[in-house]
Amino acid sequence: MRFPPGTPRALGLAAALAATAIAGAAAPQPVARTARAPRAEDGAAPSAAEPGATPLRGSLGVPVAERLLASSDPEARLRGIERLGAIGTEEAVSALLAALEQGAPGARDPRARLAAVRALAPHAARDTVRQLLSRELAEGGAPARSAASPLGELLRGTAALALARSGDRRALGALVNAIVQGGAAGEAAARALRAYPPASLQLLLGSRKRLEPALVAFLGELGDLRAIGALRPMLEGGDRAAQVAAARALARLGDEAALARARAWLRRPEPGLLEATAEILVHLGAPEAPDAVAALLGSERARLEGLRLAELAPSERLVPALARALPLLPEDARARAVAAIGRAGGAEAARQLRGLVERPELATAAAFALATTPGAEARAAVAEMIDGARAAKDADLRRLGLRAGVVRGLVLGDAPEAIEARLLAALAAPRGSSDRAVGVFGAVALGLRDAGEVVGACSPAACDRAAVHAAARGALARGERALAALAPLFAELAAPGGGGAAAGGDDAAPDAAAISSGVALLAAPRGGAVATSRLAALAEAGGPLAPLAARALAARDDEVIRGRLKRLLEGSDPVVRAHVALGLGSDPMPDSVSLLARAYRFEDDPAVRRAIVRGLSRRAEVQRTRVLLTARDLDPDEGVRALARAALSGVPGARDAPRPALATGVVWVAIVPNDRSAAASASSRPARLVRPDGVAVPVVADPDGVLLVPGVPPGVSSVLLAPAAPPGDSGS
């Protein structure tokens, strides 16, 4: 385009831009003023007489989103919803609500409803939006559809958070009504209000003349001391159910006004009040609490509640009652009772646990309790298991004592004096035996021997696989340096046709030695010397090695393997999906942030969403911000919200992927076959342990079916056994 001589260049540029934006209009004339497009708050829509107004609106605004919403393509409808949410005007919100009316395609799609709830969250104070969010909270959409959708819980929780975050009185009222009604909606509402406590409790209580028991219980859980004033008067009412609910809530808030009431109930026992009385006394730390809990343990109807309170408030005075209740508890609760005896501590607890070691079905739980119970009595009981008269004749008891001694050394730093000599003696046991495996594990875990030194050379013809399994698990207690020392062994064993894999191409399955030495990948997030093709095969094959292989593969992302990563990120194994997300955080490809953002949108597993947020936290691209804001404000999982807050605030730790930090936690698992004829299936059984931080650790059991996994952070871990031990790979 040519301009007349003397035309200012800036004005010419403005005219050129205007010409490209106005289709079919006459060439614009230079003007001396700057035009301003009308805003939504101006209250006026663009006039059709204004040049270019209608074409721009038709190509960029609400009409385009409405056309997308009318599409038969679900992805197009999602784009329409997100476009309307980004526009955010009253017209856009109305169009979005219309798209979710009963019978509309969007109302039948859980993904569309979730996207709409997120888009409507900033407008939760509007009546029509609040009504839609309340419907999603109560039903998760239509009950018949949400029941079959894995997104139902995510959708319900997001709607609850949107209502709570608004702070609107009517929105908070909808949440309170859900709490009173109970069920999944009530649980989601309670979690949302704990995440976004109201500015005033009056917004929650409203004009209620009577507080329902469910609401009273929630006030106790909320931890807001302002509730005490509303709860104390309920102690004096004539309604016993209201008195009990208020006393329990006040006890949770630490208010001793409930103590006198509980003591009165204890003096004059009434049917159904013993559980509430004991709970109140426990929460307030009253001296009568152990006796009240012991009474529950002696009651057939309330025994499990007594066990819960014994776990909550350990006391030496509870040991005899726990021991008496042990055989009367359901089988799946007996290990909890054994652990409660250990937490109670004292000489009587050590004596009871030492006796329980003799019972095969409780031996592991009792040994673990002795290993983690402070005090000279418990240490002496472990020493007796190693060096006592019975230990000399009973190899199983001696191994149990050695394991308990190692765990005691790792957790408490208080191993029996004889542990070192006994472990070194066990190292001399025959190759492939359970005794030698225990010696290897203990020596490596306690730093008496180096893992590489113990394992030595490992070839198809000569490899003590039981020692490899034990040394690899022992190295978990020594940190990254010990794990990195296993990297050469893993690279050799994991290679197709190598010492630990069957001959063949990249798809050759690794044997147990390769699986156990795979802990080296914890210290080498990018896979070390393992070939990319082999990492891809391991990630796609499933099994204990798949998660760490997937993490390493994602960290090496390029155009060749991008398709495989997408399939893994959409796969059916949530642990693998999480590790792909962790790896993408270190991906050299800048567009990988889009993979993470897309994966977050409809991920129903909270652990995977945590991993996605961790991955995004390590990225610098601007595309991460929108996802992190959504995760911070509207994700139903508290861990996801915390990680997103840390990432947005720039906290350094939030950018770090989980690392195998030196932790003192130990997981002890005994693999017991359901049938004696299947005893061999427990020997050297591969498994995958997922730590509380979400990282999966490949492990293999000892020949006698015992798994000791150290270096585990505090929290809940999960163990998944491989379908079967690889053929021909027994402890011998």
Side-chain angles (χ1 to χ4, degrees):
M1 179 181 294
R2 290 182 175 274
F3 299 100
T7 301
R9 187 167 183 80
L11 183 59
L13 178 59
L17 290 175
T20 60
I22 304 176
Q29 299 299 318
V31 293
R33 64 181 179 86
T34 301
R36 178 177 66 85
R39 297 175 297 179
E41 55 266 32
D42 292 337
S47 170
E50 294 174 354
T54 300
L56 275 176
R57 180 177 179 276
S59 61
L60 299 176
V62 173
V64 173
E66 291 176 325
R67 289 198 297 271
L68 290 170
L69 287 173
S71 171
S72 60
D73 180 8
E75 291 298 327
R77 292 199 296 268
L78 286 172
R79 291 198 300 273
I81 289 171
E82 291 169 351
R83 181 183 288 262
L84 289 174
I87 294 172
T89 62
E90 184 174 350
E91 181 185 11
V93 171
S94 298
L96 190 47
L97 290 168
L100 297 178
E101 291 178 351
Q102 297 296 333
R108 299 190 295 269
D109 183 357
R111 298 196 311 161
R113 299 205 311 274
L114 178 58
V117 165
R118 288 169 174 164
L120 290 169
H123 312 281
R126 292 180 52 172
D127 285 344
T128 51
V129 174
R130 187 186 67 257
Q131 291 166 10
L132 181 140
L133 294 175
S134 299
R135 187 181 77 217
E136 293 291 359
L137 168 64
E139 303 176 358
R145 293 191 299 270
S146 63
S149 171
L151 291 177
E153 190 62 31
L154 177 60
L155 179 55
R156 182 180 291 110
T158 305
L161 285 167
L163 289 168
R165 186 169 176 265
S166 71
D168 178 73
R169 176 179 57 82
R170 291 165 297 181
L172 297 179
L175 293 171
V176 170
N177 290 337
I179 290 173
V180 171
Q181 293 170 10
E187 294 173 3
R191 288 193 296 268
L193 285 172
R194 285 195 292 267
Y196 293 107
S200 167
L201 281 185
Q202 195 57 41
L203 293 173
L204 285 185
L205 304 181
S207 58
R208 279 177 162 79
K209 296 182 179 179
R210 175 183 175 274
L211 300 184
E212 295 85 347
L215 179 56
V216 171
F218 169 71
L219 291 175
E221 296 169 0
L222 186 60
D224 192 328
L225 298 182
R226 295 175 297 177
I228 292 176
L231 294 174
R232 279 182 176 175
M234 297 178 65
L235 294 175
E236 307 304 326
D239 186 342
R240 180 51 55 87
Q243 287 181 1
V244 171
R248 278 180 149 160
L250 286 167
R252 285 181 175 272
L253 293 171
D255 183 47
E256 293 193 354
L259 189 56
R261 183 67 61 182
R263 284 173 170 161
W265 291 335
L266 193 62
R267 287 192 299 269
R268 297 187 297 274
E270 296 182 28
L273 280 182
L274 184 57
E275 294 180 37
T277 302
E279 180 182 338
I280 293 167
L281 294 172
V282 163
H283 279 296
L284 294 176
E288 304 96 331
D291 294 333
V293 174
L296 288 181
L297 289 168
S299 165
E300 182 179 358
R301 186 180 64 85
R303 191 167 286 124
L304 284 175
E305 176 64 9
L307 176 58
R308 183 185 73 84
L309 293 175
E311 294 170 322
L312 187 64
S315 169
E316 291 187 33
R317 290 161 56 188
L318 286 174
V319 171
L322 285 166
R324 288 192 299 269
L326 185 60
L328 305 175
L329 286 165
E331 188 174 350
D332 60 354
R334 292 174 188 171
R336 289 173 52 198
V338 172
I341 292 173
R343 282 197 289 273
E348 179 60 17
R351 189 183 71 80
Q352 292 285 353
L353 292 172
R354 180 63 186 86
L356 293 174
V357 165
E358 308 293 338
R359 296 172 55 177
E361 73 278 11
L362 295 175
T364 298
F368 188 75
L370 282 171
T372 54
T373 299
E377 297 91 349
R379 183 177 66 249
V382 173
E384 183 189 355
M385 294 166 62
I386 299 172
D387 276 333
R390 286 205 52 192
K393 304 175 184 178
D394 189 339
D396 290 339
L397 178 63
R398 186 173 61 251
R399 282 197 300 272
L400 195 65
L402 282 173
R403 287 174 171 133
V406 173
V407 171
R408 191 172 182 86
L410 292 172
V411 175
L412 301 176
D414 186 30
E417 294 180 1
I419 190 70
E420 181 174 345
R422 293 302 180 187
L423 287 174
L424 295 179
L427 283 174
R431 292 165 61 89
S433 67
S434 295
D435 285 341
R436 185 164 193 269
V438 171
V440 169
F441 170 79
V444 174
L446 295 178
L448 306 176
R449 291 288 186 274
D450 178 73
E453 172 192 348
V454 173
V455 171
C458 190
S459 66
C463 185
D464 185 353
R465 285 175 168 75
V468 174
H469 309 331
R473 284 185 282 108
L476 292 167
R478 309 309 303 171
E480 286 195 356
R481 181 174 298 181
L483 294 171
L486 294 170
L489 175 65
F490 172 65
E492 179 182 353
L493 295 177
D506 284 331
D507 292 334
D511 77 355
I515 290 172
S516 59
S517 61
V519 296
L521 289 175
L522 290 169
R526 299 182 65 85
V530 181
T532 299
S533 59
R534 184 57 176 157
L535 288 173
L538 292 172
E540 293 170 342
L545 273 177
L548 290 182
R551 183 179 72 165
L553 184 69
R556 298 182 181 184
D557 180 25
D558 59 24
E559 295 179 359
V560 175
I561 62 173
R562 173 59 65 88
R564 303 177 87 161
L565 288 176
K566 287 182 178 179
R567 289 193 295 272
L568 290 170
L569 199 55
E570 298 169 357
S572 60
D573 188 341
V575 178
V576 171
R577 295 201 303 271
H579 282 70
V580 173
L582 291 174
L584 288 174
S586 303
D587 185 352
M589 302 284 283
D591 63 339
S592 64
V593 68
S594 299
L595 285 181
L596 289 169
R598 185 175 181 83
Y600 177 84
R601 294 164 73 204
F602 307 117
E603 175 55 60
D604 59 279
D605 192 294
V608 182
R609 297 201 302 275
R610 288 182 215 126
I612 291 171
V613 171
R614 283 190 182 275
L616 287 170
S617 300
R618 297 176 61 84
R619 308 299 308 192
E621 295 85 355
V622 69
Q623 295 96 317
R624 77 181 195 133
T625 303
R626 182 179 176 184
V627 181
L628 289 176
L629 288 171
T630 299
R632 182 196 66 184
D633 296 339
L634 295 174
D635 196 292
D637 182 73
E638 183 180 358
V640 174
R641 296 197 303 273
L643 287 168
R645 280 196 302 270
L648 289 167
S649 65
V651 177
R655 298 193 299 270
D656 297 334
R659 297 169 65 83
L662 201 58
T664 58
V666 180
V667 172
W668 189 337
V669 177
I671 304 172
V672 180
N674 295 324
D675 191 325
R676 289 186 178 182
S677 63
S681 66
S683 178
S684 300
R685 185 72 171 266
R688 179 179 78 188
L689 180 138
V690 180
R691 302 186 319 200
D693 58 8
V695 174
V697 182
V699 291
V700 180
D702 286 336
D704 57 357
V706 175
L707 265 173
L708 271 178
V709 187
V712 179
V716 178
S717 299
S718 64
V719 178
L720 177 65
L721 297 180
D729 189 49
S730 65
S732 60

